[in-house]
Amino acid sequence: MFETQEEPLPAQPVAIAPARHAVFGSPIAHSKSPWIHARFGEQCGIPLTYQAIEAGPDAFPAALEAFAKAGGTGANVTLPLKTVAAKLARELGDAARRSGVVNTLTRLPGGGWRGDNTDGIGLVTDIAERQRIDIRGRRTLVLGAGGAVQGVIDALLEAGVSEVVLANRTPARADALADRIGDPARVHTRYWEALGDAGGFELIVNGTAAGHSGQPLQLPFSLAMSRTLAYDLNYGRAAVDFLAWARAAGCSYVFDGLGMLVEQAAEAFRIWHGVRPETDPVYQQLRASVPRP
């Protein structure tokens, strides 16, 4: 009598729970981040969910804790929560520690969050790689001193701009940011009312919230030069007024922040999943739905 060996059953596929991500901010319903990260996940074959969660500064700590208890592993943070996020993080990456603001949170194995900032690398990558423009040696004016600006100054300096002049309607905030950066040879402040005497700049970055509030910037045309690159960290309607000024002032290059949005998201995706997605296809799709201001 012969014994027969049963053939082993085929291995059953193991269901992989999708990674759970979110973006926090106020207002947040307009955010493009859920769409962007969904495209990144599809491209890389990584299952994930990504939601937009409305939360102001007071509600954010509890909302983030609830997100973690529900299995959240990674979060993006936008206005007005970037400074609050930095204070909540148990660990900080280099860019977040230097800037004092966080736009990317990653759940740590032992609990708590690591905070990173990908805004600066997102800005420089968009200018240098997508637009193919070298900003080394450029005299730079940065308008504003809020969380968006705080996250990009170090990256601009590392990219080789020759000088950064900070101007904010509340001078004390610009002074505090300059002191935090700690590079008096290259970073200076100037009163908003005295910008007409500041001379010309080869790079002008708008990080104010004027486009969201409808408050006019009222910038002198003397700030622009024939080779000036004007870049608004905002995109869509919020960038319209500044970019209209830049064109009227004769700036050679005029960009909104949509490319930066995609690039900073790709860096956050890399932090969470260990792979950086291709950004050009996602940017082109998004650009088709968000016309250039």
Side-chain angles (χ1 to χ4, degrees), residues 21 35 44 47 104 118 139 251:
H21 303 314
W35 184 89
C44 298
T104 302
T118 66
R139 184 172 187 245
C251 295

Side-chain angles (χ1 to χ4, degrees), residues 26 54 62 75-76 128 141 171 177 188 204 234 240 257 269 275-276 290:
S26 183
E54 178 80 21
N76 290 128
L141 171 65
L177 178 54
H188 317 282
I204 303 175
N234 302 291
V240 168
F269 192 93
V275 59
R276 195 180 196 280
V290 182

Side-chain angles (χ1 to χ4, degrees), residues 187-281:
V187 180
H188 317 282
T189 61
R190 182 172 284 267
Y191 287 113
W192 194 278
E193 297 77 10
L195 282 175
D197 302 322
F201 294 87
E202 296 151 306
L203 173 60
I204 303 175
V205 177
N206 178 39
T208 70
H212 294 281
S213 64
Q215 186 176 7
L217 285 172
Q218 298 179 329
L219 299 170
F221 287 149
S222 59
L223 297 174
M225 302 168 65
S226 61
R227 70 187 294 263
T228 297
L229 187 165
Y231 197 107
D232 199 315
L233 301 184
N234 302 291
Y235 62 90
R237 292 182 182 178
V240 168
D241 287 348
F242 172 72
L243 298 187
W245 169 86
R247 293 187 182 99
C251 295
S252 296
Y253 309 99
V254 178
F255 302 113
D256 70 353
L258 194 70
M260 171 183 166
L261 175 70
V262 174
E263 296 301 332
Q264 64 81 26
E267 283 297 316
F269 192 93
R270 181 191 62 77
I271 290 171
W272 295 333
H273 301 292
V275 59
R276 195 180 196 280
E278 293 291 331
T279 56
D280 280 345

